[in-house]
């Protein structure tokens, strides 16, 4: 392919779901990632970054692609309740209230945000993007370019725009995601399946990278997150039966990053904009913590026997929790809510005090930080936000199950998300005044294309 004009700007962004800064640093020091180390030596810097709160992919990737706070894009978790009801819903890309950067660059945004207002008049022409396997972009919709949705996506055809892209993906038996159930039945088979899924993912990414025209290419790898959930305890333990497999995946990942980076340099003779980032970190798990059971034991949650999920919330309930730890006061905006508005401040304070006293192994505290929504969210959709959001100490995986009889339980996973240990690799000429948050790097992309 011929090199493009030096006047044309191009950007390559690689997303590595769930890859922690601390693990990258460890593997770089051990020499396991020679290609990434070489790239860092060619004008790039590795930074630790904070994920969204809560640190789940739907919120973090939404924050990155829109460049704004959840209070402005309106996504607070994988699940939510329909307003003024107890009915569970699953927000998707259609519920995102702020436009992602590729819509602003392509001039296809129908919604407005602080990011779009800042940059839309500075983009001199519609730019073409290929957005591949980014979580929480389902269902796919028309953009200036190609969009292949990442998880949660249940139908490949609905996850792909345009039709020609679907035809190619279908022809190679492309998989949207690994089959997690395999890990519960046979870990060895699941590990093989994960490597196989990554190979097909790479093949598809290369196809669109080499055969389509684009100004911005953003590809995300989700196999890293799946590897970490089921095998993160193997990441450092040389005696773990899957330690070598874990490292082998990172060796392949390192080689893939090199090949895509070099292809980018070859395609574009002038140094374009290059970034790699994750949406959250990871740690090993000690215990699962069931916050709704804790609220029950504290007399704050009452559940009826009839009904599904949150339809069981009784009128005597003071507070309930949605995954992972989003606590909602059962106020008068709910059909059976009885907490008066003037009671909320004292109730919030009381819940925070009780949660901070929750002890885990060896008497250590479970909760690291608790935020009221006004402390961390801002924007027109603040009203949708949970009243409290808790961040646990590493090792305590907070859950919203309504079916548990104990506060603590064993975890099926080996790894859990962390808020404080995501990473970002940026051009070294970008100067930072403090620790990055997940929505901040989007501004660097927009500045690059608008200057």
């Amino acid at each position: 392919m011929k090199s493009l004009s030096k006047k044309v700007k191009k950007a390559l962004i690689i997303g590595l779901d769930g890859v922690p800064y601390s693990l990258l640093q460890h593997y770089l020091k051990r020499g396991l990632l020679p290609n990434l180390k070489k790239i860092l030596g060619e004008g790039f810097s590795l930074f630790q970054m904070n994920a969204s709160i809560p640190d789940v992919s739907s919120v973090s990737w939404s924050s990155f692609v829109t460049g704004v706070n959840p209070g402005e894009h309106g996504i607070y978790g994988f699940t939510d309740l329909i307003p003024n009801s107890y009915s569970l819903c699953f927000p998707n890309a259609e519920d995102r209230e702020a436009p992602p950067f590729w819509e602003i660059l392509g001039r296809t945004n129908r919604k407005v945000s602080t990011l779009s207002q800042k940059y839309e008049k500075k983009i001199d022409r519609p730019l073409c993007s290929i957005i591949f396997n980014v979580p929480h972009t389902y269902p796919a919709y028309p953009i200036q370019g190609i969009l292949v949705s990442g998880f949660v996506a249940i139908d490949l055809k609905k996850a792909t725009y345009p039709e020609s892209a679907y035809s190619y993906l279908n022809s190679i038996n492309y998989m949207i995601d690994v089959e997690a159930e395999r890990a519960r039945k046979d870990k060895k088979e699941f590990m093989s399946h994960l490597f196989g899924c990554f190979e097909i993912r790479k093949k598809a990414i290369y196809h669109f990278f080499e055969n389509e025209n684009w100004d911005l290419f953003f590809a995300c790898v989700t196999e890293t997150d799946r590897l970490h959930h089921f095998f993160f305890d193997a990441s450092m333990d040389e005696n773990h039966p899957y330690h070598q497999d874990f490292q082998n995946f990172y060796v392949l990942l390192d080689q893939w990053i090199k090949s895509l980076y070099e292809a980018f340099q070859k395609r574009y003779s002038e140094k374009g904009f290059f970034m790699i980032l994750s949406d959250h970190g990871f740690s090993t798990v000690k215990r699962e913590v069931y916050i709704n059971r804790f609220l029950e034991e504290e007399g704050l949650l009452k559940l009826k026997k009839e009904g599904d999920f949150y339809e069981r919330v009784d009128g005597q309930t003071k507070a309930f929790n949605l995954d992972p730890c989003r606590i909602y006061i059962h106020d008068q905006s709910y059909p059976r809510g009885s907490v008066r508005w003037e009671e909320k401040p004292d109730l919030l304070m009381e819940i925070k005090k009780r949660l901070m006293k929750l002890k885990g192994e060896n008497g250590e505290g479970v909760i690291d930080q608790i935020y009221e929504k006004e402390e961390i969210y801002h924007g027109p959709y603040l009203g949708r936000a949970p009243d409290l959001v808790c961040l646990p100490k590493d090792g305590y995986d907070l859950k919203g199950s309504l079916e548990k009889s104990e506060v603590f339980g064993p975890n099926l996973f080996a790894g859990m998300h962390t808020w404080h240990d995501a990473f970002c690799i940026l051009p070294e000429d970008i100067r930072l005044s403090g620790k990055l948050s997940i929505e901040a790097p989007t501004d660097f992309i927009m500045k690059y294309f608008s200057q």
Side-chain angles (χ1 to χ4, degrees):
M1 183 174 290
K2 294 182 179 179
S3 296
L4 298 167
S5 168
K6 291 185 178 182
K7 294 181 181 179
V8 178
K9 292 187 174 183
K10 301 288 172 182
L12 170 62
I13 302 165
I14 297 174
L16 303 179
D17 200 292
V19 171
Y21 169 87
S22 56
L23 184 65
L24 275 189
Q25 285 281 48
H26 179 73
Y27 279 2
L28 283 166
K29 288 177 182 177
R30 289 184 55 192
L32 288 172
L33 306 172
N35 299 304
L36 186 59
K37 184 175 181 179
K38 184 174 183 292
I39 291 170
L40 287 168
E42 295 177 355
F44 297 92
S45 299
L46 170 63
F47 299 99
Q48 190 178 46
M49 182 171 67
N50 289 333
S52 63
I53 301 176
D55 48 21
V56 294
S57 294
S58 59
V59 186
S60 256
W61 286 122
S62 294
S63 297
F64 170 63
V65 305
T66 62
V68 299
N69 184 271
E72 193 170 345
H73 64 62
I75 304 298
Y76 292 100
F78 279 117
T79 59
D80 219 324
L81 294 184
I82 295 173
N84 305 312
S85 80
Y86 302 99
S87 298
L88 205 60
C89 64
F90 299 87
N92 60 28
E94 294 177 347
D95 300 296
R96 190 180 55 225
E97 302 292 355
F101 56 78
W102 56 83
E103 290 184 16
I104 303 170
L105 293 173
R107 294 181 176 174
T108 59
N109 59 297
R110 294 165 295 171
K111 296 180 179 179
V112 178
S113 69
T114 51
L115 188 78
S116 70
Q117 290 173 326
K118 182 178 179 181
Y119 285 108
E120 59 188 357
K121 292 182 180 179
K122 297 179 181 179
I123 305 301
D124 59 7
R125 63 182 177 88
L127 300 176
C128 183
S129 298
I130 296 180
I131 310 301
F132 196 93
N133 193 45
V134 178
H136 215 71
T137 55
Y138 183 84
Y141 55 90
I143 69 167
Q144 186 75 20
I146 295 171
L147 172 59
V148 179
S149 302
F151 84 101
V152 178
I154 57 176
D155 180 88
L156 181 58
K157 194 164 190 177
K158 292 180 180 178
T160 311
Y161 173 85
E163 179 76 21
S164 57
Y166 166 74
S167 298
Y168 167 73
L169 292 173
N170 192 49
S171 73
I172 64 168
N173 297 315
Y174 178 79
M175 292 179 283
I176 295 172
D177 200 359
V178 298
E179 297 173 17
E181 284 300 317
R182 293 193 184 196
R184 294 182 173 89
K185 298 175 183 177
D186 186 330
K187 286 194 172 184
K188 185 176 181 180
E189 181 189 349
F190 176 76
M191 183 68 83
S192 176
H193 171 61
L194 188 143
F195 275 78
C197 190
F198 184 43
E199 288 303 313
I200 295 175
R201 183 100 59 212
K202 289 190 294 182
K203 181 179 180 180
I205 289 170
Y206 283 132
H207 171 82
F208 292 111
F209 186 94
E210 293 291 346
N211 295 293
E212 301 290 343
N213 292 317
W214 49 266
D215 299 292
L216 179 143
F217 194 100
F218 178 18
C220 190
V221 171
T222 44
E223 286 75 22
T224 41
D225 179 88
R226 308 310 185 245
L227 177 72
H228 295 168
H229 270 303
F230 290 102
F231 301 101
F232 197 73
D233 53 345
S235 62
M236 304 286 192
D237 182 2
E238 295 182 0
N239 296 317
H240 194 287
Y242 291 100
H243 177 69
Q244 194 58 54
D245 289 314
F246 194 102
Q247 288 194 347
N248 288 345
F249 187 90
Y250 267 83
V251 169
L252 290 175
L253 185 67
D254 182 62
Q255 293 170 351
W256 173 70
I257 290 170
K258 173 193 175 184
S259 62
L260 203 60
Y261 174 71
E262 289 182 347
F264 180 53
Q265 290 183 310
K266 183 179 179 181
R267 181 184 178 108
Y268 180 45
S269 58
E270 186 176 302
K271 189 176 182 181
F273 183 88
F274 179 68
M275 174 195 296
I276 314 178
L277 77 160
S278 65
D279 59 327
H280 54 77
F282 252 90
S283 75
T284 53
V285 178
K286 296 176 182 177
R287 302 288 281 174
E288 284 190 346
V289 186
Y290 308 114
I291 299 299
N292 276 319
R293 182 58 193 168
F294 171 79
L295 294 174
E296 280 189 275
E297 291 189 358
E298 293 293 313
L300 297 167
L301 172 61
K302 304 287 185 181
L303 294 174
K304 301 185 295 180
K305 292 183 179 180
E306 67 276 6
D308 296 322
F309 302 106
Y310 292 87
E311 293 170 2
R312 296 173 57 203
V313 171
D314 186 83
Q316 298 178 64
T317 291
K318 300 293 184 184
F320 58 88
N321 178 66
L322 268 65
D323 265 336
C325 192
R326 294 176 285 151
I327 295 176
Y328 295 79
I329 300 300
H330 194 215
D331 59 38
Q332 293 169 329
S333 65
Y334 296 94
R336 294 187 291 274
S338 59
V339 178
R340 299 191 305 274
W341 304 112
E342 61 270 20
E343 295 178 300
K344 286 185 72 170
D346 288 343
L347 181 56
L348 289 170
M349 185 64 69
E350 182 62 28
I351 293 172
K352 286 193 283 186
K353 285 180 180 178
R354 296 191 197 185
L355 280 167
M356 292 305 294
K357 291 179 181 178
L358 183 59
K359 303 296 182 184
E361 294 183 358
N362 303 317
E364 64 182 345
V366 167
I367 305 299
D368 185 45
Q369 299 176 71
I370 305 176
Y371 296 101
E372 294 187 26
K373 61 184 177 182
E374 293 84 0
E375 296 179 274
I376 53 173
Y377 302 132
H378 52 83
Y381 302 100
L382 178 63
R384 299 182 186 177
D387 293 292
L388 294 176
V389 185
C390 302
L391 291 173
K393 293 186 177 178
D394 290 358
Y396 293 101
D397 200 3
L398 307 183
K399 299 292 185 181
S401 173
L402 292 164
E403 308 300 328
K404 302 297 181 178
S405 58
E406 303 289 339
V407 174
F408 294 93
N411 200 316
L412 293 173
F413 293 137
M416 58 169 282
H417 296 187
T418 59
W419 168 73
H420 57 85
D421 200 28
F423 83 91
C424 190
I425 292 174
L426 292 166
E428 62 183 4
D429 59 351
I430 292 177
R431 296 288 179 259
L432 304 179
S433 58
K435 190 176 182 183
L436 279 172
S437 292
I438 186 71
E439 66 268 19
T442 321
D443 197 59
F444 305 140
I445 302 168
M446 300 304 297
K447 280 181 180 177
Y448 170 76
F449 280 110
S450 63
Q451 289 174 347

